[in-house]
C-alpha cells in the first residue's frame, strides 16, 4: 500500500493528465454521438474540454520541470563556459518562477473579479471563478516542481 501511494505521489502529474485526457475524450465522443444521432450539440462538453485543456497543459508543465525535460534554450551553452551556462540555467529557473508567480497573482485577481461580478459559465451556469481558481493552484504546483528541480540539481552538482 505504501509503495502504491509513493508511486502515485511521484507520478501525480501524469496520473492527473491521463485522467483529464480520458475525461476530455469521453466528453468529445459524447458530443460527437449526440450531434450525429439526435442532431443536438452537447454544449457543456465544450466548456469542460476548453478548461481541461488549460489544466492538462499545467500538469504537463509541472511534469516536465519535475523530470527536467522542459523546453530549454541551450544554444548559448555551446559558446560559453560551464560557469556561465550554470548562471543562464539558474536565471532561467528564476524567470520561470517569476512568470508562474505572476500567473498566480493575475489568476487570483481574475477569480476575485469574476466572483464579485457573479460571472457564470455559459453552458453549465457554474461560477466562472471556480474554473479560474484552478490555474493559480496549478501554477503553484509548477513552481514547486521548479524548486524541486533546482534543489535536485544543487544536490547532484554541488550548487556551483
Amino acid at each position: 500500500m505504501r509503495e502504491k501511494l509513493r508511486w502515485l505521489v511521484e507520478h501525480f502529474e501524469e496520473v492527473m493528465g491521463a485522467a483529464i485526457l480520458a475525461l476530455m475524450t469521453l466528453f468529445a465522443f459524447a458530443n460527437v454521438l449526440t450531434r450525429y444521432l439526435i442532431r443536438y450539440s452537447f454544449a457543456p462538453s465544450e466548456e469542460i474540454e476548453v478548461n481541461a485543456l488549460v489544466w492538462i497543459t499545467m500538469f504537463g508543465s509541472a511534469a516536465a520541470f519535475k523530470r527536467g525535460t522542459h523546453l530549454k534554450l541551450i544554444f548559448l551553452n555551446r559558446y560559453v563556459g560551464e560557469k556561465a551556462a550554470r548562471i543562464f540555467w539558474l536565471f532561467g529557473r528564476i524567470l520561470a518562477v517569476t512568470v508562474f508567480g505572476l500567473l498566480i497573482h493575475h489568476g487570483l485577481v481574475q477569480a476575485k473579479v469574476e466572483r464579485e461580478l457573479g460571472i457564470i459559465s455559459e453552458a453549465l451556469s457554474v461560477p466562472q471563478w471556480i474554473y479560474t481558481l484552478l490555474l493559480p493552484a496549478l501554477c503553484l504546483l509548477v513552481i514547486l516542481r521548479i524548486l524541486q528541480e533546482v534543489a535536485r540539481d544543487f544536490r547532484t552538482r554541488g550548487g556551483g
Side-chain angles (χ1 to χ4, degrees):
M1 176 68 175
R2 190 172 237 200
E3 294 296 322
K4 289 181 182 180
L5 186 61
R6 177 178 288 153
W7 183 89
L8 185 63
V9 168
E10 289 176 4
H11 295 90
F12 176 71
E13 291 87 353
E14 293 89 345
V15 170
M16 291 302 296
I20 292 171
L21 186 60
L23 181 72
M24 289 171 66
T25 304
L26 286 174
F27 277 119
F29 183 67
N31 196 14
V32 169
L33 283 180
T34 57
R35 193 173 288 168
Y36 286 105
L37 293 179
I38 60 175
R39 299 191 190 282
Y40 174 75
S41 178
F42 187 54
S45 70
E46 294 176 24
E47 180 178 305
I48 292 170
E49 288 175 50
V50 166
N51 286 290
L53 187 61
V54 174
W55 304 333
I56 200 170
T57 302
M58 296 304 293
F59 278 117
S61 296
F65 275 108
K66 178 177 69 174
R67 293 184 190 152
T69 57
H70 49 81
L71 183 64
K72 298 176 183 123
L73 298 173
I74 57 173
F75 175 75
L76 290 177
N77 290 358
R78 296 181 200 171
Y79 305 106
V80 298
E82 178 68 26
K83 190 148 184 109
R86 294 280 294 150
I87 291 170
F88 286 151
W89 180 87
L90 189 57
F91 182 66
R93 298 313 167 276
I94 291 168
L95 285 178
V97 168
T98 303
V99 166
F100 285 104
L102 287 170
L103 279 172
I104 289 171
H105 171 72
H106 291 295
L108 291 173
V109 169
Q110 180 176 340
K112 180 182 177 216
V113 168
E114 290 170 350
R115 187 166 186 261
E116 288 172 351
L117 294 176
I119 298 172
I120 59 171
S121 65
E122 292 181 26
L124 291 173
S125 297
V126 174
Q128 186 64 39
W129 63 268
I130 293 173
Y131 292 130
T132 304
L133 206 54
L134 281 172
L135 181 66
L138 293 174
C139 286
L140 198 58
L141 175 65
V142 174
I143 289 174
L144 172 71
R145 295 306 188 190
I146 293 169
L147 296 177
Q148 286 177 337
E149 180 196 23
V150 170
R152 182 176 58 245
D153 187 75
F154 270 71
R155 276 194 310 271
T156 58
R157 289 189 176 191

